């Protein structure tokens, strides 16, 4: 539908009850359009907006009093488009009051934001946007992409920052991102909370944090933290970096005064086996250590009040009590030769959604022959620990995603997958048929993903 032609046909007559409204480009993110409405009547206020050749979209409805004022952000106008806006107030009696039609030219996205193209058309049964990060040698940027791959919101992170996890804030105020500044002698990990206007709302330093975090229902943050110490393998004492689980309320620096809720060094004995990746080293606390467990994924299961933590290098998930940190169970399989994983449930996976009863994993597949990646799901028998495969979708060309990777299940049984280092995000049916895809320009990868059925 041609939005401007439609709106021109509904230009309201002037009256004493017409609306006063204004629309301005956002100062930090121009796509975050600042809207205001002054109404002489009570009702619900909202904005109708759309590009010249696009469908009309409607913001969320907000109550407004007679003589009241509404102020808010419109998230969604795509970069490089001419977009029209109209304020509307509907009264309890069904009368529709309209403001004047206004048009803004949304600037093009920054030059260092990687280009993204859509392949195919997003199915009508799954309208929405994708929140992810675009990672290139030039920059890392948080973005919301529409069905055409156009950015409708973006935040550029400081240079030298490695992003391994991001999510939508539970209160709807913006996004959370875990970053590590790799330019420092001792890398510093921070959670940043950005509002929808692009401004940072708060930050929390996570001492020795890495790779993943989860926001809890009460607003606290749980995260994976490195720990150094000796372990004994085949009679040899070696110094390694393992992982711990910590929880803190928001603060300038996260609370680490108390012992970790769960610690691999304290609460678990490493199996007497290893693969080549566990002999990789990292520099931590002034010394070079073996990267032993490399926990890379954390989830929270509200139904059991448990944390689920996945160890990338040991191919196990751990169910940990959120109350006292006790190890409730280990989700694992008979490893056999840790250097040969062909035919096993997963090989150095990167988690997406975990509960005590079900795993949806991005399986990097580093020890398959040949190495290749897929999406896999398992039901877990909580009494016996038995794993029942319910889904296995290989990357269509059997390629390897050597780092990151993510997958989310959508309400309609579709799967949204970030094939991170391949620079692709795909929407597939439950049977593996590719329905739609986003592809980045050469050299750019994609981070973790969130499906946004509605914009804020």
């Amino acid at each position: 539908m041609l939005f401007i032609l439609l709106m021109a046909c509904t230009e309201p007559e002037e009256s004493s009850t017409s609306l006063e409204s204004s629309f301005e480009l956002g100062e930090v993110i121009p796509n975050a359009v600042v809207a205001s409405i002054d109404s002489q009547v009570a009702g619900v206020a909202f904005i109708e907006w759309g590009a010249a050749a696009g469908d009309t979209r409607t913001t969320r409805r907000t109550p407004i009093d007679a003589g009241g004022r509404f102020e808010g952000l419109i998230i969604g106008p795509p970069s490089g488009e001419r977009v029209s806006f109209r304020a509307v107030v509907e009264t309890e009696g069904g009368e529709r009051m309209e403001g004047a039609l206004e048009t803004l030219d949304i600037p093009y996205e920054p030059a260092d934001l990687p280009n993204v193209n859509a392949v195919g058309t997003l199915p009508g049964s799954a309208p929405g946007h994708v929140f992810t990060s675009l990672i290139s040698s030039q920059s890392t940027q948080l973005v919301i992409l529409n069905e055409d791959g156009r950015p409708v919101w973006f935040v550029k992170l400081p240079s030298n920052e490695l992003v391994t996890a991001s999510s939508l804030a539970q209160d709807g105020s913006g996004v959370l991102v875990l970053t590590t500044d790799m330019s420092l002698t001792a890398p510093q990990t921070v959670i940043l909370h950005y509002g929808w206007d692009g401004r940072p709302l708060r930050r929390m330093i996570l001492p020795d944090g890495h790779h993943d975090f989860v926001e809890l229902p009460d607003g606290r943050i749980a995260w994976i933290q490195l720990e150094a110490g000796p372990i004994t393998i085949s009679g040899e004492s070696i110094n390694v970096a393992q992982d711990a689980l910590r929880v803190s309320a928001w603060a300038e620096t996260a609370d680490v005064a108390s012992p970790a809720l769960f610690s691999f060094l304290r609460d678990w004995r490493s199996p007497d086996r290893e693969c080549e990746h566990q002999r990789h080293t990292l520099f931590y606390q002034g010394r070079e250590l073996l990267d032993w467990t490399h926990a890379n994924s954390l989830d929270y299961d509200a139904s059991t009040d448990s944390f689920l933590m996945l160890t990338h290098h040991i191919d196990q998930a751990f169910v940990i009590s959120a109350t006292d940190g006790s190890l409730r169970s280990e989700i694992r399989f008979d490893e056999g030769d840790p250097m040969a994983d062909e035919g096993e449930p997963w090989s150095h996976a990167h988690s997406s959604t975990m509960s005590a009863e079900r795993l949806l994993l991005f399986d990097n597949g580093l020890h398959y022959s040949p190495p290749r990646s897929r999406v896999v799901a398992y039901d877990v028998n909580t009494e016996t620990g038995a794993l029942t495969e319910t889904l296995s979708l290989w990357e269509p060309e059997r390629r390897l995603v050597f780092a990151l990777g993510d997958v989310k299940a959508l309400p309609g049984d579709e799967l949204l997958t970030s094939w991170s280092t391949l620079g692709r995000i795909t929407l597939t049916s439950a049977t593996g048929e590719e329905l739609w895809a986003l592809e980045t320009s050469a050299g750019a990868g994609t981070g973790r993903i969130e499906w946004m059925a509605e914009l804020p």
Side-chain angles (χ1 to χ4, degrees), residues 299-328:
D299 212 336
Y300 173 71
D301 182 357
S303 66
T304 59
D305 193 29
S306 300
F307 290 109
L308 283 292
M309 185 158 59
L310 182 74
T311 51
H312 188 60
H313 286 170
I314 297 183
D315 285 343
Q316 290 185 209
F318 296 80
V319 184
I320 301 163
S321 168
T323 303
D324 60 15
S326 60
L327 181 58
R328 289 178 170 169

Side-chain angles (χ1 to χ4, degrees), residues 391-446:
L391 173 73
S392 177
L393 298 177
W394 293 99
E395 197 282 325
E397 298 179 31
R398 298 296 197 270
R399 292 177 293 179
L400 175 68
V401 176
F402 58 85
L404 297 178
D406 197 10
V407 58
K408 293 292 190 297
L410 274 57
D413 291 334
E414 297 96 348
L415 294 171
L416 188 72
T417 306
S418 170
W419 305 92
S420 181
T421 55
L422 301 180
R424 295 196 86 226
I425 294 173
T426 60
L427 180 71
T428 57
S429 68
T431 59
E433 177 189 3
E434 184 174 302
L435 306 173
W436 171 78
L438 297 175
E439 295 183 344
T440 68
S441 50
T446 56

Side-chain angles (χ1 to χ4, degrees), residues 4-19:
I4 291 178
L5 293 178
L6 172 66
M7 298 302 286
C9 292
T10 60
E11 187 72 30
E13 298 180 1
E14 291 188 9
S15 70
S16 61
T17 55
S18 63
L19 303 179

Side-chain angles (χ1 to χ4, degrees), residues 70-321:
F70 163 83
E71 293 181 334
L73 296 177
I74 304 171
I75 307 298
S79 297
E81 295 281 352
R82 174 165 291 180
V83 180
S84 294
F85 305 86
R86 188 190 296 284
V88 179
V89 170
E90 290 183 349
T91 68
E92 186 176 347
E95 185 179 5
R96 175 185 168 99
M97 313 306 300
E98 297 180 349
L101 181 69
E102 297 191 37
T103 300
L104 296 175
D105 289 320
I106 309 299
Y108 281 97
E109 62 271 24
D112 60 354
L113 186 65
N115 185 51
V116 179
N117 294 312
V119 178
T121 302
L122 189 64
S125 61
H129 291 71
V130 176
F131 168 65
T132 189
S133 54
L134 298 179
I135 307 165
S136 70
S137 59
Q138 290 182 294
S139 65
T140 296
Q141 307 209 33
L142 306 175
V143 296
I144 298 176
L145 303 171
N146 69 9
E147 62 271 22
D148 299 319
R150 300 296 299 155
V152 303
W153 184 89
F154 50 85
V155 167
K156 182 178 179 179
L157 297 175
S159 60
N160 301 312
E161 300 230 340
L162 174 68
V163 173
T164 53
S166 58
S167 65
L168 303 174
Q170 290 188 6
D171 64 1
S173 61
V175 303
L176 304 177
V177 57
L178 180 73
T179 73
T180 300
D181 188 340
M182 303 303 293
S183 67
L184 302 176
T185 303
Q188 184 179 82
T189 300
V190 178
I191 287 188
L192 299 171
H193 183 180
Y194 285 97
W196 293 120
D197 62 358
R199 292 183 171 88
L201 299 177
R202 53 184 176 172
R203 69 194 297 269
M204 179 164 65
I205 297 173
L206 304 182
D208 300 324
H210 82 118
H211 227 304
D212 203 10
F213 72 96
V214 62
E215 183 184 13
L216 299 178
D218 62 8
R220 292 180 301 156
I221 297 294
W223 75 95
I224 301 170
Q225 178 171 301
L226 287 173
E227 281 191 331
I231 62 172
T232 301
I233 296 293
S234 301
E236 176 190 7
S237 179
I238 55 177
N239 288 316
V240 303
Q242 294 202 78
D243 296 283
L245 171 61
R246 284 195 174 272
V247 181
S248 174
W250 272 92
E252 184 175 338
T253 300
D255 180 13
V256 293
S258 301
L261 183 67
F262 175 84
S263 165
F264 282 114
L265 284 170
R266 184 190 68 211
D267 303 320
W268 182 74
R269 184 186 181 280
S270 179
D272 196 12
R273 56 179 171 75
E274 61 184 278
C275 78
E276 62 182 0
H277 295 95
Q278 291 172 280
R279 289 286 171 174
H280 291 177
T281 60
L282 53 80
F283 193 75
Y284 175 59
Q285 293 185 343
R287 52 184 173 157
E288 194 172 42
L289 301 169
L290 298 185
D291 186 10
W292 201 252
T293 49
H294 196 92
N296 66 0
S297 304
L298 185 66
D299 212 336
Y300 173 71
D301 182 357
S303 66
T304 59
D305 193 29
S306 300
F307 290 109
L308 283 292
M309 185 158 59
L310 182 74
T311 51
H312 188 60
H313 286 170
I314 297 183
D315 285 343
Q316 290 185 209
F318 296 80
V319 184
I320 301 163
S321 168

